Amino acid sequence: MAVRRRQETMEENREKLISAGRKAFGSQGFAASSMDEMTASVGLTRGALYHNFGDKKGLLAAVVARVDGEMVARAQAASADAGDEWEQLLAEGAAYIAMALDPEVRRIVLLDGPAFLGDPSHWPSQNACLEATKQVVGKLIADGVMKPVDIDAAARLLCGAALNAALWVADSDDPKSALPKAVDAFSLMAEGFLVEKR
Amino acid sequence: MAVRRRQETMEENREKLISAGRKAFGSQGFAASSMDEMTASVGLTRGALYHNFGDKKGLLAAVVARVDGEMVARAQAASADAGDEWEQLLAEGAAYIAMALDPEVRRIVLLDGPAFLGDPSHWPSQNACLEATKQVVGKLIADGVMKPVDIDAAARLLCGAALNAALWVADSDDPKSALPKAVDAFSLMAEGFLVEKR
DNA sequence: AACTTGACATACGCCGTGTATCTGATTTTT
DNA sequence: AAAAATCAGATACACGGCGTATGTCAAGTT
Protein backbone atom coordinates (compact mmCIF):
# COMPACT_ATOMS: atom_id res chain seq x y z
CA MET A 1 0.00 0.00 0.00
CA ALA A 2 1.22 3.42 -0.85
CA VAL A 3 2.53 5.38 2.09
CA ARG A 4 0.01 7.85 3.42
CA ARG A 5 0.95 11.44 2.74
CA ARG A 6 1.39 13.68 5.66
CA GLN A 7 -1.07 16.31 4.67
CA GLU A 8 -3.76 13.74 4.05
CA THR A 9 -3.72 12.36 7.55
CA MET A 10 -3.50 15.82 9.00
CA GLU A 11 -6.57 16.87 7.09
CA GLU A 12 -8.33 13.77 8.27
CA ASN A 13 -7.43 14.49 11.85
CA ARG A 14 -8.64 18.08 11.63
CA GLU A 15 -11.87 16.70 10.30
CA LYS A 16 -12.14 14.21 13.13
CA LEU A 17 -11.56 16.93 15.70
CA ILE A 18 -14.08 19.32 14.20
CA SER A 19 -16.63 16.58 14.00
CA ALA A 20 -16.02 15.34 17.54
CA GLY A 21 -15.88 18.89 18.86
CA ARG A 22 -19.20 19.58 17.24
CA LYS A 23 -20.73 16.60 19.00
CA ALA A 24 -19.22 17.52 22.35
CA PHE A 25 -20.02 21.23 22.23
CA GLY A 26 -23.46 20.53 20.84
CA SER A 27 -24.42 18.05 23.50
CA GLN A 28 -22.64 19.28 26.63
CA GLY A 29 -21.92 22.88 25.78
CA PHE A 30 -18.55 24.49 25.29
CA ALA A 31 -17.67 25.05 28.94
CA ALA A 32 -18.52 21.55 30.09
CA SER A 33 -16.77 19.75 27.25
CA SER A 34 -13.55 18.02 28.25
CA MET A 35 -10.98 18.14 25.52
CA ASP A 36 -9.34 15.03 26.88
CA GLU A 37 -12.50 13.04 26.40
CA MET A 38 -13.28 14.67 23.09
CA THR A 39 -9.89 13.92 21.53
CA ALA A 40 -9.84 10.41 22.97
CA SER A 41 -13.20 9.72 21.34
CA VAL A 42 -11.49 9.89 17.96
CA GLY A 43 -8.27 8.18 19.03
CA LEU A 44 -6.18 11.31 19.46
CA THR A 45 -4.84 13.34 22.34
CA ARG A 46 -4.97 17.01 23.21
CA GLY A 47 -1.64 17.34 21.48
CA ALA A 48 -3.39 17.17 18.14
CA LEU A 49 -5.96 19.71 19.25
CA TYR A 50 -3.49 22.33 20.40
CA HIS A 51 -1.30 21.76 17.37
CA ASN A 52 -4.15 22.24 14.92
CA PHE A 53 -6.36 24.84 16.56
CA GLY A 54 -4.22 26.66 19.09
CA ASP A 55 -6.63 26.28 21.96
CA LYS A 56 -10.12 25.21 22.91
CA LYS A 57 -11.67 28.38 21.55
CA GLY A 58 -9.86 27.84 18.28
CA LEU A 59 -11.71 24.60 17.83
CA LEU A 60 -14.98 26.28 18.74
CA ALA A 61 -14.36 28.86 16.04
CA ALA A 62 -13.74 26.13 13.50
CA VAL A 63 -16.86 24.27 14.52
CA VAL A 64 -18.93 27.46 14.39
CA ALA A 65 -17.65 28.23 10.92
CA ARG A 66 -18.58 24.77 9.79
CA VAL A 67 -22.11 24.84 11.18
CA ASP A 68 -22.63 28.41 10.06
CA GLY A 69 -21.64 27.46 6.54
CA GLU A 70 -24.09 24.61 6.49
CA MET A 71 -26.86 26.89 7.67
CA VAL A 72 -26.40 29.36 4.88
CA ALA A 73 -26.41 26.57 2.33
CA ARG A 74 -29.65 25.23 3.69
CA ALA A 75 -31.24 28.66 3.82
CA GLN A 76 -30.37 29.41 0.24
CA ALA A 77 -31.70 26.06 -0.84
CA ALA A 78 -34.94 26.80 0.96
CA SER A 79 -35.36 30.17 -0.70
CA ALA A 80 -34.28 28.98 -4.13
CA ASP A 81 -37.74 28.63 -5.55
CA ALA A 82 -39.34 31.63 -3.92
CA GLY A 83 -41.58 33.78 -6.05
CA ASP A 84 -39.97 37.16 -5.62
CA GLU A 85 -37.23 38.49 -3.44
CA TRP A 86 -39.47 39.42 -0.57
CA GLU A 87 -40.76 35.91 -0.39
CA GLN A 88 -37.18 34.79 -0.60
CA LEU A 89 -36.40 36.79 2.50
CA LEU A 90 -39.34 35.28 4.35
CA ALA A 91 -38.37 31.82 3.19
CA GLU A 92 -34.85 32.29 4.49
CA GLY A 93 -36.23 33.49 7.77
CA ALA A 94 -38.48 30.50 8.08
CA ALA A 95 -35.56 28.27 7.19
CA TYR A 96 -33.41 29.79 9.92
CA ILE A 97 -36.17 29.23 12.41
CA ALA A 98 -36.46 25.62 11.40
CA MET A 99 -32.72 25.07 11.47
CA ALA A 100 -32.28 26.56 14.88
CA LEU A 101 -34.49 23.83 16.22
CA ASP A 102 -31.48 21.59 15.83
CA PRO A 103 -29.97 21.44 19.31
CA GLU A 104 -26.44 21.59 17.92
CA VAL A 105 -27.16 24.78 16.03
CA ARG A 106 -28.80 26.37 19.03
CA ARG A 107 -26.13 25.59 21.52
CA ILE A 108 -23.09 26.13 19.34
CA VAL A 109 -24.06 28.99 17.07
CA LEU A 110 -26.67 30.84 19.08
CA LEU A 111 -25.55 30.40 22.67
CA ASP A 112 -21.91 29.44 23.09
CA GLY A 113 -20.70 31.16 19.96
CA PRO A 114 -21.68 34.68 20.97
CA ALA A 115 -20.76 34.04 24.60
CA PHE A 116 -17.24 32.75 23.98
CA LEU A 117 -16.27 34.18 20.61
CA GLY A 118 -17.93 37.56 20.75
CA ASP A 119 -20.48 39.12 18.48
CA PRO A 120 -21.32 37.12 15.34
CA SER A 121 -20.76 40.12 13.13
CA HIS A 122 -17.07 39.88 13.93
CA TRP A 123 -16.61 36.17 13.50
CA PRO A 124 -13.95 35.06 11.05
CA SER A 125 -16.69 33.14 9.29
CA GLN A 126 -18.28 36.56 8.85
CA ASN A 127 -21.50 34.95 9.97
CA ALA A 128 -22.64 33.85 6.57
CA CYS A 129 -26.30 34.03 7.59
CA LEU A 130 -26.06 37.73 8.23
CA GLU A 131 -24.19 38.29 5.03
CA ALA A 132 -26.80 36.48 2.99
CA THR A 133 -29.60 38.47 4.57
CA LYS A 134 -27.82 41.73 3.89
CA GLN A 135 -27.64 40.86 0.22
CA VAL A 136 -31.37 40.39 -0.08
CA VAL A 137 -32.22 43.41 2.05
CA GLY A 138 -30.00 45.57 -0.11
CA LYS A 139 -31.79 44.51 -3.24
CA LEU A 140 -35.23 44.96 -1.72
CA ILE A 141 -34.45 48.49 -0.65
CA ALA A 142 -33.00 49.34 -4.02
CA ASP A 143 -36.15 48.05 -5.66
CA GLY A 144 -38.34 50.14 -3.42
CA VAL A 145 -39.98 47.11 -1.86
CA MET A 146 -38.56 47.76 1.56
CA LYS A 147 -38.45 51.12 3.22
CA PRO A 148 -35.05 52.79 3.18
CA VAL A 149 -33.57 51.70 6.49
CA ASP A 150 -29.98 50.98 7.35
CA ILE A 151 -29.12 47.73 5.63
CA ASP A 152 -26.93 46.39 8.40
CA ALA A 153 -29.47 47.18 11.06
CA ALA A 154 -32.34 45.65 9.16
CA ALA A 155 -30.41 42.51 8.29
CA ARG A 156 -29.29 42.07 11.84
CA LEU A 157 -32.79 42.52 13.18
CA LEU A 158 -34.35 40.15 10.68
CA CYS A 159 -31.71 37.50 11.14
CA GLY A 160 -31.79 37.98 14.89
CA ALA A 161 -35.55 37.80 14.99
CA ALA A 162 -35.56 34.51 13.12
CA LEU A 163 -32.98 32.95 15.39
CA ASN A 164 -34.62 34.40 18.45
CA ALA A 165 -37.92 32.97 17.36
CA ALA A 166 -36.24 29.61 17.09
CA LEU A 167 -34.87 29.84 20.60
CA TRP A 168 -38.36 30.54 21.81
CA VAL A 169 -39.83 27.63 19.90
CA ALA A 170 -37.15 25.24 21.08
CA ASP A 171 -37.64 26.12 24.73
CA SER A 172 -41.40 26.39 24.65
CA ASP A 173 -43.55 23.77 26.29
CA ASP A 174 -44.90 22.51 22.99
CA PRO A 175 -42.43 23.19 20.17
CA LYS A 176 -44.61 21.55 17.54
CA SER A 177 -47.43 23.99 18.00
CA ALA A 178 -45.15 26.92 18.67
CA LEU A 179 -43.35 26.70 15.36
CA PRO A 180 -46.18 27.99 13.14
CA LYS A 181 -46.89 30.75 15.64
CA ALA A 182 -43.28 31.81 15.52
CA VAL A 183 -43.12 31.81 11.74
CA ASP A 184 -46.37 33.73 11.66
CA ALA A 185 -45.19 36.39 14.07
CA PHE A 186 -41.87 36.64 12.28
CA SER A 187 -43.47 37.20 8.89
CA LEU A 188 -45.83 39.77 10.29
CA MET A 189 -43.08 41.67 12.00
CA ALA A 190 -40.92 41.61 8.92
CA GLU A 191 -43.74 43.24 6.99
CA GLY A 192 -43.09 46.35 9.00
CA PHE A 193 -40.26 46.98 6.59
CA LEU A 194 -42.51 46.83 3.55
CA VAL A 195 -43.45 50.00 1.70
CA GLU A 196 -46.92 48.69 0.99
CA LYS A 197 -48.61 45.86 2.75
CA ARG A 198 -49.48 42.73 0.91
CA MET B 1 -22.22 49.05 70.54
CA ALA B 2 -25.25 46.90 70.06
CA VAL B 3 -24.47 43.37 68.98
CA ARG B 4 -25.07 42.81 65.31
CA ARG B 5 -27.91 40.48 64.52
CA ARG B 6 -27.11 37.39 62.58
CA GLN B 7 -29.57 37.88 59.78
CA GLU B 8 -28.40 41.43 59.22
CA THR B 9 -24.82 40.51 58.53
CA MET B 10 -25.91 37.58 56.42
CA GLU B 11 -28.04 39.85 54.33
CA GLU B 12 -25.14 42.25 54.01
CA ASN B 13 -22.85 39.48 52.89
CA ARG B 14 -25.31 38.23 50.30
CA GLU B 15 -25.46 41.77 49.05
CA LYS B 16 -21.69 42.03 48.89
CA LEU B 17 -21.46 38.79 46.95
CA ILE B 18 -24.14 39.74 44.45
CA SER B 19 -22.53 43.08 43.91
CA ALA B 20 -19.03 41.68 43.53
CA GLY B 21 -20.30 38.86 41.36
CA ARG B 22 -21.99 41.39 39.14
CA LYS B 23 -18.74 43.24 38.69
CA ALA B 24 -16.75 40.10 38.01
CA PHE B 25 -19.24 38.48 35.64
CA GLY B 26 -19.83 41.78 33.91
CA SER B 27 -16.20 42.55 33.27
CA GLN B 28 -14.60 39.14 32.74
CA GLY B 29 -17.58 36.99 31.88
CA PHE B 30 -18.98 34.11 33.88
CA ALA B 31 -16.56 31.42 32.77
CA ALA B 32 -13.42 33.45 33.36
CA SER B 33 -14.42 34.79 36.75
CA SER B 34 -12.54 33.26 39.66
CA MET B 35 -14.70 32.88 42.71
CA ASP B 36 -11.67 32.99 44.94
CA GLU B 37 -10.77 36.44 43.71
CA MET B 38 -14.35 37.58 43.67
CA THR B 39 -15.05 36.61 47.28
CA ALA B 40 -11.70 37.93 48.46
CA SER B 41 -12.50 41.29 46.90
CA VAL B 42 -15.20 41.76 49.52
CA GLY B 43 -13.30 40.19 52.38
CA LEU B 44 -14.95 36.80 52.30
CA THR B 45 -14.08 33.30 51.13
CA ARG B 46 -15.76 30.83 48.86
CA GLY B 47 -17.30 29.30 51.95
CA ALA B 48 -19.75 32.18 52.08
CA LEU B 49 -20.54 31.81 48.41
CA TYR B 50 -21.34 28.12 48.53
CA HIS B 51 -23.28 28.52 51.72
CA ASN B 52 -25.46 31.30 50.32
CA PHE B 53 -25.88 30.38 46.68
CA GLY B 54 -25.10 26.69 46.39
CA ASP B 55 -22.70 27.05 43.52
CA LYS B 56 -21.30 29.46 40.98
CA LYS B 57 -24.36 29.25 38.79
CA GLY B 58 -26.51 30.03 41.80
CA LEU B 59 -24.77 33.35 42.15
CA LEU B 60 -25.16 34.02 38.46
CA ALA B 61 -28.88 33.42 38.78
CA ALA B 62 -29.06 35.89 41.65
CA VAL B 63 -27.09 38.47 39.73
CA VAL B 64 -29.24 38.00 36.65
CA ALA B 65 -32.38 38.44 38.69
CA ARG B 66 -31.00 41.62 40.16
CA VAL B 67 -30.02 43.17 36.84
CA ASP B 68 -33.16 41.96 35.16
CA GLY B 69 -35.23 43.60 37.83
CA GLU B 70 -33.44 46.88 37.40
CA MET B 71 -34.01 46.73 33.67
CA VAL B 72 -37.73 46.39 34.00
CA ALA B 73 -37.87 49.27 36.39
CA ARG B 74 -35.95 51.47 34.02
CA ALA B 75 -38.08 50.42 31.06
CA GLN B 76 -41.30 51.18 32.85
CA ALA B 77 -39.98 54.53 33.92
CA ALA B 78 -39.08 55.30 30.33
CA SER B 79 -42.51 54.43 29.05
CA ALA B 80 -44.38 56.08 31.90
CA ASP B 81 -45.27 59.24 30.03
CA ALA B 82 -45.95 57.71 26.64
CA GLY B 83 -48.98 58.95 24.76
CA ASP B 84 -50.81 55.72 24.15
CA GLU B 85 -49.99 52.09 24.70
CA TRP B 86 -48.41 51.60 21.32
CA GLU B 87 -46.01 54.38 21.99
CA GLN B 88 -45.42 52.84 25.36
CA LEU B 89 -44.34 49.64 23.68
CA LEU B 90 -41.97 51.50 21.40
CA ALA B 91 -40.60 53.47 24.31
CA GLU B 92 -39.92 50.30 26.24
CA GLY B 93 -38.18 48.85 23.23
CA ALA B 94 -36.01 51.91 22.86
CA ALA B 95 -35.25 51.76 26.55
CA TYR B 96 -34.14 48.14 26.31
CA ILE B 97 -31.89 49.03 23.44
CA ALA B 98 -30.32 51.83 25.41
CA MET B 99 -29.89 49.70 28.51
CA ALA B 100 -28.27 46.85 26.69
CA LEU B 101 -25.51 49.23 25.77
CA ASP B 102 -24.35 48.81 29.33
CA PRO B 103 -21.59 46.18 29.12
CA GLU B 104 -22.75 44.52 32.33
CA VAL B 105 -26.25 44.04 30.99
CA ARG B 106 -24.98 42.71 27.72
CA ARG B 107 -22.58 40.20 29.10
CA ILE B 108 -24.60 39.01 32.07
CA VAL B 109 -28.18 39.07 30.87
CA LEU B 110 -27.82 38.68 27.12
CA LEU B 111 -24.79 36.44 26.71
CA ASP B 112 -23.86 34.45 29.79
CA GLY B 113 -27.37 34.21 31.18
CA PRO B 114 -28.85 32.28 28.27
CA ALA B 115 -25.66 30.28 27.78
CA PHE B 116 -25.31 29.07 31.37
CA LEU B 117 -28.80 29.27 32.82
CA GLY B 118 -30.87 28.29 29.81
CA ASP B 119 -33.61 30.14 28.05
CA PRO B 120 -34.73 33.40 29.67
CA SER B 121 -38.37 32.38 29.53
CA HIS B 122 -37.60 29.75 32.16
CA TRP B 123 -35.52 31.85 34.52
CA PRO B 124 -36.68 31.98 38.12
CA SER B 125 -36.83 35.74 37.72
CA GLN B 126 -39.34 34.93 34.99
CA ASN B 127 -37.45 37.43 32.88
CA ALA B 128 -39.32 40.48 33.94
CA CYS B 129 -38.67 42.24 30.64
CA LEU B 130 -40.55 39.59 28.73
CA GLU B 131 -43.35 39.63 31.24
CA ALA B 132 -43.75 43.38 30.96
CA THR B 133 -43.82 43.24 27.19
CA LYS B 134 -46.44 40.52 27.23
CA GLN B 135 -48.68 42.72 29.32
CA VAL B 136 -48.61 45.54 26.83
CA VAL B 137 -48.95 43.28 23.80
CA GLY B 138 -51.96 41.63 25.34
CA LYS B 139 -53.68 44.97 25.80
CA LEU B 140 -52.82 46.15 22.31
CA ILE B 141 -54.27 43.06 20.72
CA ALA B 142 -57.41 43.29 22.83
CA ASP B 143 -57.82 46.90 21.74
CA GLY B 144 -57.45 45.97 18.10
CA VAL B 145 -54.31 48.03 17.68
CA MET B 146 -52.13 45.06 17.03
CA LYS B 147 -53.01 42.19 14.77
CA PRO B 148 -54.11 39.03 16.56
CA VAL B 149 -50.87 37.09 16.84
CA ASP B 150 -49.75 34.78 19.58
CA ILE B 151 -48.97 36.97 22.56
CA ASP B 152 -45.98 34.98 23.75
CA ALA B 153 -44.45 34.86 20.31
CA ALA B 154 -44.93 38.55 19.66
CA ALA B 155 -43.57 39.57 23.04
CA ARG B 156 -40.56 37.35 22.64
CA LEU B 157 -39.85 38.69 19.18
CA LEU B 158 -40.23 42.32 20.19
CA CYS B 159 -38.16 41.96 23.32
CA GLY B 160 -35.60 39.86 21.48
CA ALA B 161 -35.43 42.35 18.64
CA ALA B 162 -34.73 45.20 21.02
CA LEU B 163 -31.99 43.34 22.81
CA ASN B 164 -30.58 42.02 19.58
CA ALA B 165 -30.49 45.52 18.21
CA ALA B 166 -28.53 46.54 21.25
CA LEU B 167 -25.99 43.79 20.73
CA TRP B 168 -25.52 45.03 17.20
CA VAL B 169 -25.11 48.62 18.31
CA ALA B 170 -22.67 47.74 21.03
CA ASP B 171 -20.45 45.73 18.73
CA SER B 172 -20.68 48.03 15.75
CA ASP B 173 -17.74 50.14 14.71
CA ASP B 174 -19.46 53.37 15.66
CA PRO B 175 -22.05 52.78 18.39
CA LYS B 176 -22.99 56.45 18.60
CA SER B 177 -24.23 56.60 15.04
CA ALA B 178 -25.60 53.07 15.09
CA LEU B 179 -27.98 53.69 17.95
CA PRO B 180 -30.51 55.84 16.08
CA LYS B 181 -30.40 53.45 13.14
CA ALA B 182 -31.17 50.57 15.43
CA VAL B 183 -34.05 52.34 17.14
CA ASP B 184 -35.38 53.33 13.74
CA ALA B 185 -35.24 49.83 12.33
CA PHE B 186 -36.76 48.43 15.49
CA SER B 187 -39.72 50.82 15.41
CA LEU B 188 -40.31 50.13 11.76
CA MET B 189 -40.24 46.40 12.23
CA ALA B 190 -42.54 46.58 15.21
CA GLU B 191 -45.08 48.38 13.04
CA GLY B 192 -45.53 45.15 11.17
CA PHE B 193 -47.77 44.14 14.02
CA LEU B 194 -50.03 47.18 13.64
CA VAL B 195 -53.46 46.83 12.14
CA GLU B 196 -53.19 50.18 10.43
CA LYS B 197 -50.02 52.09 9.79
CA ARG B 198 -49.36 55.39 11.43
C1' DA C 1 21.95 6.98 4.32
C1' DA C 2 22.25 10.89 7.18
C1' DC C 3 19.75 14.84 8.36
C1' DT C 4 15.76 17.83 9.07
C1' DT C 5 11.02 18.71 9.74
C1' DG C 6 6.82 18.59 11.99
C1' DA C 7 2.49 16.26 13.61
C1' DC C 8 1.25 14.41 17.48
C1' DA C 9 2.04 12.20 22.24
C1' DT C 10 3.64 12.53 26.95
C1' DA C 11 4.41 14.80 31.17
C1' DC C 12 4.09 18.57 34.18
C1' DG C 13 2.41 22.75 36.69
C1' DC C 14 -1.14 25.71 37.74
C1' DC C 15 -5.67 27.03 38.76
C1' DG C 16 -10.57 26.56 39.71
C1' DT C 17 -14.53 24.22 41.42
C1' DG C 18 -17.10 21.71 44.77
C1' DT C 19 -17.30 19.21 49.19
C1' DA C 20 -16.21 17.73 53.75
C1' DT C 21 -14.82 19.29 58.03
C1' DC C 22 -13.92 22.70 61.50
C1' DT C 23 -14.73 26.94 64.42
C1' DG C 24 -16.46 30.47 66.93
C1' DA C 25 -20.18 33.62 67.61
C1' DT C 26 -25.18 34.13 68.05
C1' DT C 27 -29.45 32.02 69.48
C1' DT C 28 -32.08 29.10 72.06
C1' DT C 29 -33.13 26.26 76.01
C1' DT C 30 -33.51 25.19 80.75
C1' DA D 1 -27.23 33.07 83.26
C1' DA D 2 -24.92 28.93 81.99
C1' DA D 3 -25.12 25.09 78.99
C1' DA D 4 -26.48 23.35 74.64
C1' DA D 5 -27.60 23.79 69.90
C1' DT D 6 -27.29 26.23 65.61
C1' DC D 7 -25.25 27.94 61.72
C1' DA D 8 -22.58 31.46 58.78
C1' DG D 9 -18.56 31.31 57.17
C1' DA D 10 -13.43 29.65 57.10
C1' DT D 11 -10.16 26.04 56.19
C1' DA D 12 -8.48 22.03 53.91
C1' DC D 13 -8.63 18.60 50.43
C1' DA D 14 -9.61 15.98 46.20
C1' DC D 15 -10.45 15.96 41.51
C1' DG D 16 -10.26 17.46 36.92
C1' DG D 17 -9.29 20.62 33.09
C1' DC D 18 -6.35 23.73 30.46
C1' DG D 19 -2.17 25.15 28.43
C1' DT D 20 2.78 24.48 27.72
C1' DA D 21 7.24 22.41 27.50
C1' DT D 22 9.42 18.58 25.97
C1' DG D 23 9.93 14.16 23.71
C1' DT D 24 9.43 10.95 19.66
C1' DC D 25 9.07 8.80 15.49
C1' DA D 26 7.51 8.72 10.75
C1' DA D 27 7.53 11.49 6.45
C1' DG D 28 10.14 14.32 3.60
C1' DT D 29 14.74 16.33 2.05
C1' DT D 30 19.48 16.42 0.32
Side-chain angles (χ1 to χ4, degrees):
Chain A
M1 177 163 106
V3 190
R4 295 180 61 78
R5 306 218 141 238
R6 233 186 184 180
Q7 238 177 334
E8 270 176 40
T9 71
M10 192 178 170
E11 200 49 50
E12 279 180 23
N13 284 342
R14 283 182 63 91
E15 205 55 37
K16 281 184 191 172
L17 291 175
I18 291 180
S19 165
R22 179 178 182 158
K23 267 189 211 125
F25 296 156
S27 59
Q28 314 167 12
F30 176 75
S33 292
S34 158
M35 299 320 261
D36 261 329
E37 282 180 20
M38 179 261 136
T39 50
S41 78
V42 288
L44 295 169
T45 69
R46 280 192 345 226
L49 168 67
Y50 285 96
H51 186 75
N52 279 290
F53 299 98
D55 63 356
K56 196 181 177 182
K57 277 187 187 176
L59 177 62
L60 177 60
V63 170
V64 161
R66 166 71 52 94
V67 178
D68 193 49
E70 289 181 11
M71 286 176 73
V72 122
R74 279 205 269 171
Q76 284 175 345
S79 68
D81 44 42
D84 57 13
E85 274 173 344
W86 174 252
E87 280 170 17
Q88 181 183 333
L89 188 71
L90 292 185
E92 278 183 5
Y96 284 141
I97 296 180
M99 279 186 281
L101 291 182
D102 176 355
E104 264 184 3
V105 171
R106 262 204 323 279
R107 179 131 275 284
I108 299 175
V109 177
L110 303 186
L111 297 174
D112 288 341
F116 291 98
L117 300 178
D119 196 74
S121 58
H122 292 99
W123 289 352
S125 69
Q126 288 279 86
N127 198 248
C129 300
L130 254 174
E131 217 55 38
T133 307
K134 265 169 65 176
Q135 295 281 354
V136 183
V137 168
K139 277 188 216 152
L140 285 166
I141 291 179
D143 293 354
V145 178
M146 273 179 62
K147 292 179 180 172
V149 290
D150 185 83
I151 294 180
D152 288 315
R156 173 67 177 242
L157 283 184
L158 283 168
C159 216
L163 299 176
N164 213 330
L167 286 176
W168 175 72
V169 172
D171 285 292
S172 71
D173 300 325
D174 181 9
K176 294 285 174 199
S177 73
L179 181 53
K181 292 178 192 167
V183 175
D184 199 50
F186 170 78
S187 303
L188 215 56
M189 197 163 81
E191 281 178 15
F193 285 126
L194 279 177
V195 170
E196 52 189 77
K197 293 219 167 170
R198 305 203 157 190
Chain B
M1 175 162 105
V3 190
R4 298 181 59 77
R5 310 219 147 243
R6 227 185 190 179
Q7 237 179 334
E8 271 177 40
T9 71
M10 193 179 169
E11 199 49 49
E12 278 179 25
N13 284 343
R14 284 181 62 93
E15 205 55 38
K16 281 184 191 172
L17 290 175
I18 290 179
S19 166
R22 178 176 182 160
K23 267 190 209 123
F25 295 155
S27 60
Q28 315 167 11
F30 176 76
S33 292
S34 158
M35 299 320 262
D36 260 328
E37 282 180 20
M38 179 261 138
T39 50
S41 77
V42 287
L44 295 169
T45 69
R46 284 198 344 247
L49 168 66
Y50 286 95
H51 189 75
N52 277 290
F53 299 99
D55 63 357
K56 197 180 175 182
K57 277 188 186 174
L59 177 62
L60 177 60
V63 171
V64 161
R66 167 70 54 93
V67 178
D68 192 49
E70 288 181 14
M71 287 177 72
V72 123
R74 280 206 269 171
Q76 284 175 344
S79 69
D81 43 44
D84 57 14
E85 275 174 344
W86 174 251
E87 280 170 17
Q88 181 182 334
L89 188 71
L90 291 185
E92 278 183 4
Y96 284 141
I97 296 179
M99 280 185 280
L101 291 181
D102 175 356
E104 263 184 5
V105 170
R106 261 204 323 283
R107 180 132 276 285
I108 299 175
V109 177
L110 304 186
L111 297 175
D112 287 342
F116 291 98
L117 299 179
D119 197 74
S121 58
H122 292 100
W123 289 351
S125 69
Q126 288 279 87
N127 197 250
C129 299
L130 254 173
E131 217 55 36
T133 306
K134 265 169 66 177
Q135 295 281 355
V136 183
V137 168
K139 278 187 213 150
L140 285 166
I141 291 179
D143 293 355
V145 178
M146 272 179 64
K147 292 179 181 170
V149 289
D150 184 83
I151 295 180
D152 289 315
R156 173 66 178 243
L157 282 184
L158 284 168
C159 216
L163 300 175
N164 213 331
L167 287 176
W168 174 72
V169 171
D171 285 292
S172 71
D173 299 327
D174 181 8
K176 294 284 174 199
S177 73
L179 181 53
K181 291 177 193 167
V183 175
D184 199 50
F186 170 78
S187 303
L188 216 55
M189 200 163 78
E191 281 179 14
F193 285 125
L194 279 177
V195 170
E196 51 190 74
K197 293 218 167 169
R198 304 203 159 190

